[in-house]
Structure formats: structure tokens, C-alpha cells
Amino acid sequence: MDLFSQQLLSEFFACLYEKELEFELVPVDMGSGEHKKEPYLSLNPFGQVPAFEHGDQKLFESRAITQYIAHEFANKGTKLDCPGQPIAPLLVWKEVEAHQFDPPASKLNWELVFKPMFGTSTDTAAVEENEAKLAKVLDVYGGSFVSIQVLGM
């Protein structure tokens, strides 16, 4: 299986390592626009990283890829699902992560990690705004995880 990426993506590596899977990381030269040309566009028609190839199966979008790995290799490595447990709470919290946690966290990564790497200035107003948004999400996480049993644990 091949994981096409421009950088190390911790969620993929965590999933692949937990499932004890062998894989090849295929670097993508985004500086030269490799992600906007064939053959990469045949893997991700939006021209974005990541993309994932396993046999004839081609996937893009990080959450879809990790869900595929967890499902396709359910009997290998660490169990990443909870059979017999209600799926509704899992689905809700996956959506919360995608739409509430990830946007401010990604903006903070851009401002605090990537902009300095590229030699551009950090926007302190954007940092403050997204820190506040992220703090609200983490408050909800803290209160909710104390009051419910998550993923059958």
C-alpha cells in the first residue's frame, strides 16, 4: 500500500502502525505542482494531499483513509473499532472533530508552525481568535468525556 504525501501525517502513521501494516510513503513535490498534475490527479482529483492506494482501491481525504484502514484491517494489530457498541456517539464525535476541532487547530498549525517555516509573519489576531475557538471545543470535550462512556471504554 502506498501513502502519497508531502509531509508526515501523524494520523495516518498512528493508524498504520497500530494496525502493524507495511506501507510505502511516496513523497509529493508540492513546490513543483506535482499534486496538480497526472498521475497524481488520478489519485486525488482535487489535487490535494493525502492520497492512498491499496491494490485497486484509491482513496483521498484523511478521515476516509483512516476509516478504511481500520475497517479493512480490523483483524490485524490494535482493534480500532468497538463492535457491539452503539455507533451514534462515535459518529457524532467524529463530526465534532472534523467541523469543530480541526478548523481552528489547522489554522493554529498554519500560523504557528508553517508560516514561520516559510519565513512569513504569524498573524497574532488569527492565533488569538483560533485559540479561543479551540478552547471552547476542548471545554466541550472535557465536559462530555467526563459524563459519557466514549467508544465503549
Side-chain angles (χ1 to χ4, degrees):
M1 83 186 56
D2 296 331
L3 177 64
F4 295 79
S5 178
Q6 170 252 353
Q7 61 190 24
L8 300 179
L9 300 167
S10 59
E11 64 267 13
F12 297 117
F13 285 110
C15 189
L16 291 165
Y17 285 122
E18 288 295 323
K19 293 313 243 170
E20 301 172 358
L21 299 173
E22 291 184 22
F23 61 93
E24 177 185 358
L25 178 63
V26 179
V28 176
D29 184 356
M30 294 179 71
S32 71
E34 181 181 356
H35 60 302
K36 300 292 186 183
K37 304 173 192 166
E38 289 297 343
Y40 190 82
L41 288 174
S42 69
L43 297 171
N44 187 333
F46 296 105
Q48 299 171 330
V49 294
F52 177 82
E53 191 170 28
H54 176 235
D56 291 336
Q57 187 68 57
K58 296 176 183 178
L59 296 170
F60 53 94
E61 296 298 337
S62 59
R63 289 169 189 85
I65 295 168
T66 55
Q67 289 175 44
Y68 171 83
I69 292 167
H71 178 77
E72 186 70 15
F73 300 97
N75 296 324
K76 194 161 171 69
T78 303
K79 190 169 106 178
L80 298 178
D81 60 358
C82 298
Q85 297 295 320
I87 195 166
L90 171 65
L91 296 175
V92 167
W93 289 108
K94 286 170 68 171
E95 289 299 313
V96 168
E97 185 276 332
H99 300 288
Q100 303 299 322
F101 176 86
D102 189 60
S106 292
K107 289 176 184 168
L108 286 169
N109 279 335
W110 174 250
E111 292 295 335
L112 298 172
V113 177
F114 293 105
K115 275 188 166 182
M117 282 184 0
F118 296 128
T120 59
S121 300
T122 297
D123 180 344
T124 55
V127 170
E128 290 173 8
E129 175 186 348
N130 286 289
E131 282 177 337
K133 288 179 182 178
L134 192 56
K136 288 180 182 178
V137 174
L138 295 175
D139 286 345
V140 171
Y141 277 7
S144 295
F145 290 158
V146 168
S147 65
I148 65 171
Q149 195 175 26
V150 179
L151 300 178
M153 295 193 266

